Amino acid sequence: MSRTDSFTVCKEAEAAWSSAEIRDIVRRSQADYTLIYTHPEPLQLGLFALERFVAVADDSGAGLVYSDYYEWREGKRYPRPVIDYQQGSLRNDFHFGSVLLFRTEALRKAAEAADTDYRYAGLYDIRLKVSQQYPLVHINEYLYTAVKPDARKSGEKQFDYVDARNREAQMEMETACTNHLRQTRAYLPPQFKEIDLNGETFAVEASVIIPVRNRVRTIRDALRSAASQQTSFAYNIILIDNHSTDGTTEAAASYPLQEESAALCREMIRIIPEQTDLGIGGCWNLGIHHPDCGKFAVQLDSDDVYSDKHALQKIVDAFYEQKCAMIAGTYQMTDFDMNPIPPGIIDHREWTPANGRNNALRINGLGAPRAFYTPVLRQINFPDTSYGEDYAVGLRISRDYQIGRIYEVLYLCRRWEDNSDAAPDTEKANRFDTYKDRIRTWELQARIKKAKG
């Protein structure tokens, strides 16, 4: 096609592209559009696929067009839909598929505006810059067939950004994203509201919050872990039983708290919501607004446990030491029997006090366990969802307050078949990614508004 130059570069992800490679593509691009194919495996274009890409780009004024596609694996063709690009689609692992049609003018402008020479983040930086001036358009049509380049399940890929082997590339991604935030007036400098941790009186110092539904196999492990914490302060457990039907309610009710709990674990408060439509976020809201919720609300998922008996003390100490509104800890991935499994320890060392609140818009999570200064959390509340609710609250808190970190393992996160994000299929993964991109979009818009005063 005369209006399109086609370049095939054997790279499997945006993290593999250098600024030099992008400049070389721009130098060679003479047509109106430049098609970049990003995978080394064979590509089969659909009938009149290139014409369709160009027609949509012409009609929409897009700077970048991408489409749904078929994925060839194990000798069969499977549909692989992708999702719409949003303002908040800042993840460097946003999945465009492997065929990207750029408006050459947009590609050239973005390359000329590049302010850093990247080894890994060249393509990521380019698409962020293109998005500042042009729409990025998703064609909801299956226009090509590509061999699946990464055989891992989606649940196995989600921690790539905290893999120490990817550290250098991730630092470049952070730089590119932070520059983009500055250019779009969404960047927040390291200036935070102060926290008065002694401004209110509470029944106890901390509450371990456990939302649960149908976890009869794990709930007693979680309760045992919470009740055995050794602390210098009084705390309680708030269990929100979201209408379990598998025996979880009875298992929790019969748990011998007084026999097994530490002396300073005052009680277990069991809440069964009046509503029958609550997600995890809604259950958290019931817990934090209970009159006996402590000064600090500390996460414990119903299928996880703390790493030892001192985790709660370390979390509360960190609030006073770091004077923050939220603490995010470090966790170890385990199997159901709590044996360590890959990717191992998730410590989010990409976080820095100066730029963590900005880089949080690029990554998909902030760490665990999460703990909150209850008065701040009560002002914000969780969205009533069962995925991404913690990330939404973390972003919102980071807009105004510093988030503290603990870089030692406090938590064992079980990976098993009942986890909501262990191995989501394409439909569920797309739904999750769309929601988190939406969260980022709203947060970006709020930060731009904040910057404008």
Side-chain angles (χ1 to χ4, degrees):
M1 176 171 288
S2 60
R3 298 181 62 201
T4 306
D5 287 339
S6 178
F7 295 92
T8 302
V9 184
C10 295
K11 303 289 184 180
E12 294 191 3
E14 286 187 333
W17 291 75
S18 70
S19 298
E21 287 171 320
I22 299 298
R23 288 193 298 268
D24 182 59
I25 289 173
V26 170
R27 178 182 58 79
R28 296 160 58 195
S29 299
Q30 303 300 320
D32 295 337
Y33 294 99
T34 300
L35 187 149
I36 300 178
Y37 177 54
T38 62
H39 291 158
E41 302 294 341
L43 169 71
Q44 179 182 344
L45 288 168
L47 183 64
F48 297 120
L50 284 177
E51 287 83 353
R52 184 59 172 158
F53 271 107
V54 171
V56 172
D58 277 346
D59 292 342
S60 65
L64 167 63
V65 176
Y66 62 102
S67 77
D68 297 341
Y69 64 99
Y70 292 110
E71 190 172 76
W72 186 264
R73 64 180 188 272
E74 299 174 351
K76 295 183 180 179
R77 180 180 285 109
Y78 297 89
R80 180 57 171 92
V82 293
I83 64 176
D84 290 350
Y85 194 89
Q86 305 177 45
Q87 185 181 11
S89 298
L90 298 183
R91 295 173 289 117
N92 55 275
D93 63 352
F94 183 90
H95 186 60
F96 292 96
S98 55
V99 174
L100 292 78
L101 185 79
F102 282 94
R103 184 178 299 272
T104 303
E105 177 188 41
L107 191 64
R108 182 169 289 111
K109 286 181 179 178
E112 291 172 350
D115 42 22
T116 304
D117 195 20
Y118 296 107
R119 291 181 59 195
Y120 306 97
L123 187 55
Y124 177 55
D125 179 57
I126 286 293
R127 64 102 155 167
L128 290 177
K129 285 182 166 55
V130 169
S131 73
Q132 294 173 17
Q133 298 186 49
Y134 299 86
L136 275 56
V137 174
H138 167 213
I139 304 175
N140 302 78
E141 302 167 17
Y142 295 89
L143 295 183
Y144 61 95
T145 299
V147 175
K148 186 176 182 178
D150 189 340
R152 294 178 301 162
K153 296 178 180 179
S154 55
E156 297 171 338
K157 303 175 188 176
Q158 62 180 318
F159 300 108
D160 284 354
Y161 65 95
V162 293
D163 190 327
R165 293 171 297 181
N166 300 331
R167 179 60 179 154
E168 186 177 356
Q170 289 300 313
M171 290 177 67
E172 284 200 1
M173 301 296 175
E174 177 176 354
T175 298
C177 183
T178 303
N179 288 342
H180 173 72
L181 295 177
R182 285 193 174 98
Q183 291 154 9
T184 56
R185 301 193 66 184
Y187 170 81
L188 294 179
Q191 300 167 357
F192 306 94
K193 288 184 178 180
E194 294 185 1
I195 287 286
D196 180 6
L197 296 177
N198 298 305
E200 298 185 32
T201 301
F202 294 86
V204 292
E205 183 77 350
S207 289
V208 177
I209 308 290
I210 309 178
V212 61
R213 177 176 170 81
N214 292 345
R215 288 290 187 268
V216 69
R217 295 175 61 189
T218 60
I219 186 59
R220 290 172 75 90
D221 290 341
L223 290 173
R224 184 178 301 109
S225 177
S228 63
Q229 292 297 296
Q230 297 178 1
T231 62
S232 61
F233 51 80
Y235 71 97
N236 60 25
I237 301 168
I238 301 181
L239 178 80
I240 306 93
D241 183 352
N242 198 11
H243 304 282
S244 295
T245 59
D246 69 341
T248 295
T249 302
E250 294 75 15
S254 64
Y255 182 76
L257 183 72
Q258 298 307 318
E259 296 178 16
E260 300 189 24
S261 68
L264 290 171
C265 180
R266 293 289 174 81
E267 60 179 333
M268 177 171 64
I269 300 167
R270 294 174 55 244
I271 301 173
I272 297 180
E274 294 181 6
Q275 301 93 327
T276 58
D277 60 349
L278 293 183
I280 294 173
C283 291
W284 258 91
N285 290 335
L286 286 180
I288 64 174
H289 285 281
H290 190 281
D292 289 331
C293 183
K295 180 188 293 187
F296 304 109
V298 184
Q299 171 209 4
L300 181 58
D301 288 351
S302 58
D303 51 1
D304 297 332
V305 297
Y306 294 125
S307 60
D308 60 35
K309 296 182 178 182
H310 307 289
L312 189 58
Q313 181 72 55
K314 292 173 184 176
I315 290 168
V316 170
D317 288 347
F319 273 105
Y320 291 104
E321 293 166 0
Q322 301 183 45
K323 295 180 173 57
C324 52
M326 174 180 170
I327 291 288
T330 294
Y331 59 100
Q332 167 78 57
M333 298 296 299
T334 77
D335 61 17
F336 184 83
D337 296 320
M338 291 181 274
N339 300 305
I341 60 173
I345 295 174
I346 310 298
D347 57 13
H348 286 272
R349 288 188 180 273
E350 81 285 349
W351 183 278
T352 62
N355 202 49
R357 69 200 312 196
N358 295 301
N359 195 43
L361 289 164
R362 181 185 66 87
I363 61 178
N364 252 352
L366 301 182
R370 295 167 291 277
F372 310 89
Y373 180 46
T374 300
V376 169
L377 192 54
R378 284 173 172 171
Q379 294 173 13
I380 295 172
N381 291 317
F382 284 84
D384 188 16
T385 66
S386 293
Y387 178 81
E389 75 289 339
D390 49 350
Y391 180 62
V393 165
L395 283 182
R396 177 60 188 88
I397 289 174
S398 73
R399 190 192 312 169
D400 296 318
Y401 300 98
Q402 181 65 277
I403 294 179
R405 310 295 310 198
I406 299 176
Y407 291 116
E408 61 179 292
V409 173
L410 301 177
Y411 198 76
L412 302 183
C413 182
R414 279 170 159 167
R415 180 66 63 173
W416 61 303
E417 63 272 13
D418 276 4
N419 288 145
S420 62
D421 61 348
D425 58 22
T426 297
E427 186 277 330
K428 181 181 284 188
N430 282 350
R431 187 171 71 249
F432 287 171
D433 285 342
T434 296
Y435 180 60
K436 282 198 171 180
D437 284 355
R438 184 69 65 194
I439 290 169
R440 279 183 279 265
T441 295
W442 293 329
E443 184 62 27
L444 272 172
Q445 292 167 346
R447 294 185 183 196
I448 291 169
K449 182 178 179 181
K450 178 184 177 80
K452 291 180 179 178

